[in-house]
């Protein structure tokens, strides 16, 4: 079985996000960027399925600027077989990304698509569900455990109340949670090897898709920050403040 | 123009998140001067239907009653929403794992955008939502004919119930599309309040060192009738189950009082609790970032402090 994995390049999770002073968007100049953490889990899961003999080829796909190729190279260094880069300078909405990924699914005919449960920049949590809908495939979101056969997958999903297990028909789109696995680091020799692996480059325009924005961003602003309060010296003081100053207990 | 709210429930009881979602719908209804219907999709949901009909401001409760909807499988839920959506200007569901599962799927089938986790309603087509783990807020305007929206429950009060007298109407339920099958749910049972609706939360992090030590936290929680939460590190280490996790990828909470114990205060954790009214931090490291958002900080060893706190709360 072939697996397609969606990979997005985002602001590194350790970096504090900053808004441009004029409120026109995020300030990402010179900021450290990384592969979306959930997508590392998705790539890792594909690798494990390949190591288990269930999967024979792993193709990673990223939609974004030229720099998105960094994240694809990382996926190749982790062990993916080849990559597809869809070039666009525009920030696209999840519906547009899903439509673009669909074209690659139709071209590659994978038996499974793995994506992250959410991109940590837009925090949308939509692309996998949307892609699954457009393909009329089954879906499993927030997946923290996955058992795969040719016809079906049994997945454990992290839901608000605990855990849910479902069985889905293949082919399927599975969105992965952080606890699915522990992503491996790319070793130096593998980083070198990754440079030789194939990377197909496609211009978004050449896909002739309607990816027009449905949402207009009117303003981006920093959310209100809290300021540090006081340091109390002991439990008695804390309890007193909570009772008599804050009135919360 | 009419608004459709998708009720979250477990076939027996209405989830509190539905009432927060309803509040957002009421704000919208005021802006757009329109009515609100509620969809209850499930199997034998009589009590849920009754609860929904009593919510103030609801016109009609639509009941889609079928085995195909019992477990809220995303494929069937999305199909059900799609059959109704063309009659509505807005479709709202809570931004919980329930709503996040099928709403984007339904949106894609309708070829419209989904607006995730709105935290405020500006007008009938303009909304505010957090991005980058809540570090920034965007104001965005939708041009879609049907606005598919999930609602950040902590950003809206619970809607009032009791005065409503909506009619309950049976509608045709979709057939099972046969793509997925429910196997089981392991729901954490707890006597304590539920995290997302609790007034007081006490959360533990890696500083607790193991699951056993959470007993120290439970003792304090019980004195305060508080819910118990955790950082991702504590969940990953297996101290507590996944549904305790507070943060960017766990639950977003905003209680009156949030006590963070042995939690450093990573961006991703703050994303889930920084809208709490009062924050207390207990940590040995005075440099821990959690102190930058805490109203009251106690630089001390949690293994000394928790028993003392439990004692002091009598
Ligand atoms: C994509 C992504 C998503 C994430 N989502 C989440 C999320 O939703 N929620 C979340 O919480 N994290 C999330 N994280 C992880 C987050 O970045 C941090 O790693 C995590 O929050 C750290 O947990 P912690 O504070 O318990 O552990 P640590 O950072 O290890 O902090 C432990 C703290 O305990 C203190 N301590 C130790 N011993 C004692 C003692 N005896 N008494 C008092 N204090 C003590 C230490 O001083 C330290 O400050 C996410 C990370 C990524 C990359
Ligand atoms: N530009 C992109 N290129 C490739 N995959 C993407 C892109 N955007 C989102 N995805 C995938 O969809 C997941 C969810 O993203 P989102 O719906 O934006 O939260 C991500 O974790 C990726 O796996």
């Amino acid at each position: 079985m072939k697996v397609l994995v969606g990979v997005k390049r985002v602001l590194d999770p350790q970096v504090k996000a900053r808004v441009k002073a004029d409120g026109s968007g995020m300030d990402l100049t010179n900021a450290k960027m990384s592969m979306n953490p959930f997508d590392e889990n998705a790539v890792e899961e594909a690798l494990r399925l390949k190591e288990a003999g269930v999967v024979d080829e792993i193709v990673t796909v990223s939609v974004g600027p030229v720099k998105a190729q960094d994240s694809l190279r990382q996926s190749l260094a982790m062990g993916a077989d080849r990559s597809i880069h869809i070039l666009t300078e525009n920030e696209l909405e999840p519906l547009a990304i899903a439509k673009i990924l669909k074209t690659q699914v139709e071209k590659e005919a994978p038996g499974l698509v793995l994506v992250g449960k959410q991109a940590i920049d837009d925090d949308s949590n939509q692309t996998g569900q949307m892609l699954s809908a457009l393909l009329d495939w089954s879906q499993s979101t927030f997946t923290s455990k996955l058992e795969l056969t040719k016809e079906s997958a049994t997945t454990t999903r992290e839901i608000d109340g605990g855990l849910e297990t479902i069985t889905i028909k293949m082919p399927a789109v599975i969105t992965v949670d952080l606890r699915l696995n522990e992503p491996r680091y790319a070793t130096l020799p593998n980083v070198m090897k990754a440079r030789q692996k194939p990377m197909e480059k496609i211009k978004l325009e050449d896909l002739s898709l309607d990816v027009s924005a449905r949402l207009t961003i009117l303003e981006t602003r920093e959310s209100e920050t809290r300021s540090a309060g006081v340091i109390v010296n002991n439990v008695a003081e804390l309890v007193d403040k909570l009772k008599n100053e804050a009135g919360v207990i | 123009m009419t608004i459709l709210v998708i009720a979250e429930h477990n076939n027996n009881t209405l989830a509190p998140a539905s009432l927060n979602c309803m509040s957002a719908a009421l704000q919208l209804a005021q802006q757009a001067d329109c009515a609100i219907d509620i969809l209850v999709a499930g199997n034998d949901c009589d009590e849920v239907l009754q609860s929904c009909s009593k919510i103030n401001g609801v016109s009609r409760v639509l009941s889609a009653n079928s085995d195909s909807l019992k477990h809220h499988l995303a494929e069937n839920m999305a199909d059900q929403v799609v059959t109704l959506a063309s009659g509505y200007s807005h479709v709202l569901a809570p931004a919980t794992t329930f709503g996040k599962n099928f709403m984007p799927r339904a949106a894609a089938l309708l070829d419209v955008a989904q607006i995730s986790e709105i935290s405020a309603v500006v007008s009938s087509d303009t909304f505010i939502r957090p991005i980058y783990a809540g570090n920034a807020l965007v104001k965005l305007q939708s041009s879609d004919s049907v606005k598919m929206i999930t609602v950040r429950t902590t950003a809206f009060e619970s809607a009032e119930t009791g005065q409503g007298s909506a009619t309950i109407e049976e509608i045709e339920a979709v057939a099972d599309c046969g793509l997925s099958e429910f196997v089981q749910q392991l729901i954490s049972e707890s006597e304590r309040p539920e995290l997302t609706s609790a007034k007081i939360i006490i959360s533990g992090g890696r500083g607790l060192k193991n699951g056993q030590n959470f007993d120290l936290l439970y003792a304090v929680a019980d004195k305060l009738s508080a819910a118990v939460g955790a950082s991702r590190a504590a969940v990953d280490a297996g101290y507590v189950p996944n549904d305790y996790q507070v943060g960017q990828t766990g639950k977003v909470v905003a209680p009156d009082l949030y006590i963070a114990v042995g939690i450093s205060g990573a961006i991703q954790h703050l994303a889930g609790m920084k809208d709490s009214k009062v924050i207390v931090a207990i940590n040995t490291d005075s440099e821990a970032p959690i102190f930058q958002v805490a109203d009251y900080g106690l630089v001390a060893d949690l293994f000394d402090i928790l028993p003392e706190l439990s004692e002091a709360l009598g």
Side-chain angles (χ1 to χ4, degrees), chain B residues 89-117:
Chain B
S89 54
H90 302 78
V91 179
L92 272 66
T96 53
T97 53
F98 166 82
K100 288 171 179 172
N101 195 29
F102 65 82
M103 283 292 279
R105 187 174 181 100
L109 294 173
L110 294 163
D111 193 29
V112 299
Q114 188 211 238
I115 309 170
S116 295
E117 291 215 66

Side-chain angles (χ1 to χ4, degrees), chain B residues 143-212:
Chain B
S143 61
D144 281 319
S145 54
V146 186
K147 291 159 186 60
M148 300 288 287
I149 295 169
T150 63
V151 175
R152 173 166 282 211
T153 56
T154 52
F156 296 89
E157 301 279 317
S158 234
E160 307 212 350
T161 83
Q163 262 106 60
S165 57
T167 56
I168 299 176
E169 296 174 23
E170 285 283 336
I171 59 163
E172 198 174 331
V174 292
D176 180 14
C177 69
L179 286 173
S180 61
E181 220 176 287
F182 174 83
V183 179
Q184 63 168 357
Q185 260 184 11
L186 295 173
I187 299 297
S188 303
E189 301 283 343
S190 170
E191 304 280 292
R192 294 192 188 88
E194 206 271 314
L195 256 183
T196 48
S197 48
K199 291 254 177 288
I200 302 181
I201 296 174
I202 178 162
S203 286
R206 202 189 326 251
L208 269 288
K209 300 209 164 58
N210 60 45
Q212 194 81 54

Side-chain angles (χ1 to χ4, degrees), chain B:
Chain B
M1 284 211 331
T2 310
I3 298 166
L4 180 66
V5 170
I6 320 286
E8 175 169 351
H9 62 88
N10 61 1
N11 297 310
N12 297 312
T13 46
L14 185 68
S18 303
L19 293 176
N20 304 106
C21 186
M22 183 64 199
S23 263
L26 282 164
Q27 287 186 21
L28 254 174
Q30 231 171 25
Q31 298 277 349
D33 192 22
C34 63
I36 302 173
D37 290 350
I38 288 200
L39 169 68
V40 177
N43 193 219
D44 288 339
C45 307
D46 293 339
E47 271 180 48
V48 181
L49 291 168
Q50 291 305 326
S51 306
C52 285
S53 70
K54 296 197 185 84
I55 303 174
N56 301 4
V58 177
S59 305
R60 296 189 304 163
V61 180
L62 308 179
S63 164
N65 181 25
S66 163
D67 210 33
S68 62
L69 297 165
K70 182 171 182 181
H71 300 295
H72 302 138
L73 293 166
E75 298 86 349
N76 295 341
M77 284 297 289
D79 286 351
Q80 187 69 53
V81 172
V82 168
T83 62
L84 296 168
S86 64
Y88 292 91
S89 54
H90 302 78
V91 179
L92 272 66
T96 53
T97 53
F98 166 82
K100 288 171 179 172
N101 195 29
F102 65 82
M103 283 292 279
R105 187 174 181 100
L109 294 173
L110 294 163
D111 193 29
V112 299
Q114 188 211 238
I115 309 170
S116 295
E117 291 215 66
I118 61 161
S119 56
V121 173
V122 179
S123 71
S124 65
D125 66 0
T126 305
F127 309 92
I128 292 179
R129 64 171 299 258
I131 56 171
Y132 285 86
N135 281 303
L137 297 170
V138 285
K139 187 197 278 185
L140 42 82
Q141 187 171 30
S142 159
S143 61
D144 281 319
S145 54
V146 186
K147 291 159 186 60
M148 300 288 287
I149 295 169
T150 63
V151 175
R152 173 166 282 211
T153 56
T154 52
F156 296 89
E157 301 279 317
S158 234
E160 307 212 350
T161 83
Q163 262 106 60
S165 57
T167 56
I168 299 176
E169 296 174 23
E170 285 283 336
I171 59 163
E172 198 174 331
V174 292
D176 180 14
C177 69
L179 286 173
S180 61
E181 220 176 287
F182 174 83
V183 179
Q184 63 168 357
Q185 260 184 11
L186 295 173
I187 299 297
S188 303
E189 301 283 343
S190 170
E191 304 280 292
R192 294 192 188 88
E194 206 271 314
L195 256 183
T196 48
S197 48
K199 291 254 177 288
I200 302 181
I201 296 174
I202 178 162
S203 286
R206 202 189 326 251
L208 269 288
K209 300 209 164 58
N210 60 45
Q212 194 81 54
N213 290 335
F214 263 76
D215 286 347
L216 298 169
L217 218 76
Y218 297 140
V220 177
D222 292 341
K223 295 274 167 67
L224 293 168
S225 304
V228 174
S231 70
R232 178 182 159 207
V235 175
D236 283 0
Y239 304 171
V240 288
N242 66 286
D243 51 287
Y244 281 44
Q245 183 175 319
V246 170
Q248 183 183 18
T249 54
K251 286 183 181 136
V252 177
V253 299
D256 292 342
L257 173 60
Y258 187 90
I259 308 177
V261 183
I263 292 178
S264 60
I267 302 169
Q268 295 85 5
H269 188 78
L270 301 186
M273 44 64 80
K274 71 179 170 54
D275 292 330
S276 305
K277 287 208 184 77
V278 174
I279 297 175
V280 170
I282 300 171
N283 198 306
T284 40
D285 175 10
S286 64
E287 302 290 310
I290 189 76
F291 286 118
Q292 289 161 21
V293 300
D295 300 283
Y296 303 107
L298 189 49
V299 182
D301 191 319
L302 68 91
F303 294 103
D304 298 330
I305 296 303
L306 287 176
E308 276 183 48
L309 190 55
S310 172
E311 177 86 28
L313 293 167

Side-chain angles (χ1 to χ4, degrees), chain A residues 6-8 36 38-39 61-64 94 97 101 114-119 121-128:
Chain A
V7 166
K8 186 178 187 186
N36 185 41
F38 294 92
D39 303 352
V61 186
S62 190
V63 182
I97 301 289
L101 292 178
L114 292 170
V115 297
K117 86 161 175 182
Q118 87 195 51
D121 48 4
D122 60 35
D123 282 333
S124 290
N125 198 326
Q126 300 180 11
T127 306

